[in-house]
Amino acid sequence: MRRLRSIVAIGSGGLDAAQEALGSAADALLLSVADARVPLDEARRNAAAVLGAAGQAEKAALVMVNHPKTRLLRDDLDALLSPLVRGVLLPHAVEPQDVRDMAVALREFELRRGIEPGDTAVFPVIDTARGLLHAEQIAMAAPRVGGLVLHAERLARDLGARPEQRGDRLAYARGKVVAVCRGLGIMPLVTSDGLELTYLAQHGFAGAVLPDVRYVVTANAAFAPGPLVKERANAAVEAYEAARAEGA
């Protein structure tokens, strides 16, 4: 999957809420049908409208769907799954079976819609102590897992801690999510209020879910590959070309 440095959360607001983000430099939009404040049918209609506009704008779109245990997931996928959906976020992921249940449902609807099975990535959201405890197993539960999303505010609430974007209280959680993802070659993502993006990038995250389009430029700069990463990538390309030239 393409890089996801800046993911603007649109929620369930529909086209009006998405217009500015559609014309921005954001890598992706995040829509939601898991917002209890909006009637579910309305949320699905709004998400479908934004997906169509995102496709026309050639903008990647992700969707926060309902957890499989709510029994709402299949109707979410029936209403929304198409090649325009690059990935789905799985809220409140607490065990590997949550991901496997999501993967089974996705495969069924991918086959129905003529989508290559596995093309729709899953991003489990780590927002509870139990989810953090099982983060490695969750990340390895299905090949289509594209990364983990650390929801720091919800995790802090579950832990009984004060929310923070930086500092010691959630340092272990940030470090574990980053280490698990980097070790498995998937993307470590994090929700952010937009104020500590450079710090989060230095901590090892690959991108952030942003509350507002105003933070897109900062996020794109913060999560851009640094000089050392570029140097290593160039060295790998040069080594590959040298090996080819020698007939290896």
Side-chain angles (χ1 to χ4, degrees):
M1 175 175 278
R2 60 181 290 180
R3 59 190 178 183
L4 294 173
R5 302 164 301 173
S6 51
I7 306 165
V8 179
I10 304 300
S12 305
L15 278 173
D16 289 343
Q19 286 302 327
E20 191 174 0
L22 285 168
S24 74
D27 287 338
L29 309 184
L30 174 60
L31 320 177
S32 177
V33 294
D35 186 347
R37 298 168 297 180
V38 180
L40 188 52
D41 288 342
E42 179 183 342
R44 288 171 178 158
R45 287 195 302 271
N46 288 343
V50 176
L51 281 172
Q56 293 179 354
E58 298 184 348
K59 184 75 68 179
L62 310 175
V63 181
M64 178 83 75
V65 294
N66 287 287
H67 194 283
K69 290 181 179 177
T70 66
R71 300 186 180 181
L72 300 172
L73 173 63
R74 292 177 59 82
D75 288 339
D76 289 345
L77 297 179
D78 189 34
L80 297 171
L81 190 64
S82 77
L84 298 174
V85 178
R86 301 294 297 275
V88 296
L89 271 65
L90 170 60
H92 318 308
V94 296
E95 59 188 6
Q97 190 61 44
D98 293 339
V99 178
R100 289 192 283 267
D101 289 344
M102 173 70 78
V104 169
L106 280 170
R107 178 179 173 80
E108 176 186 341
F109 281 94
E110 285 171 336
L111 290 170
R112 288 187 187 181
R113 305 283 163 86
I115 302 169
E116 182 69 24
D119 270 7
T120 311
V122 174
F123 294 89
V125 179
I126 305 300
D127 54 6
T128 65
R130 188 177 170 194
L132 183 65
L133 178 67
H134 298 143
E136 182 176 354
Q137 296 97 315
I138 289 170
M140 297 175 66
R144 68 168 75 229
V145 173
L148 299 177
V149 181
L150 176 65
H151 199 302
E153 183 177 357
R154 291 179 184 168
L155 176 62
R157 191 181 306 132
D158 191 61
L159 293 172
R162 181 180 175 182
E164 64 175 12
Q165 291 288 301
R166 64 182 297 167
D168 297 335
R169 284 187 292 272
L170 297 180
Y172 170 76
R174 289 191 293 268
K176 180 169 184 177
V177 168
V178 169
V180 166
C181 290
R182 295 300 186 185
L184 295 173
I186 59 178
M187 282 185 276
L189 304 173
V190 63
T191 59
S192 172
D193 59 12
L195 301 180
E196 297 291 350
L197 293 169
T198 299
Y199 172 82
L200 293 169
Q202 292 172 347
H203 208 88
F205 287 100
V209 178
L210 307 170
D212 194 282
V213 73
R214 292 174 297 172
Y215 302 109
V216 166
V217 173
T218 303
N220 287 347
F223 295 108
L228 181 58
V229 173
K230 292 179 180 178
E231 182 180 332
R232 288 175 175 173
N234 290 334
V237 171
E238 291 173 2
Y240 173 74
E241 294 295 345
R244 285 191 61 187
E246 294 175 3

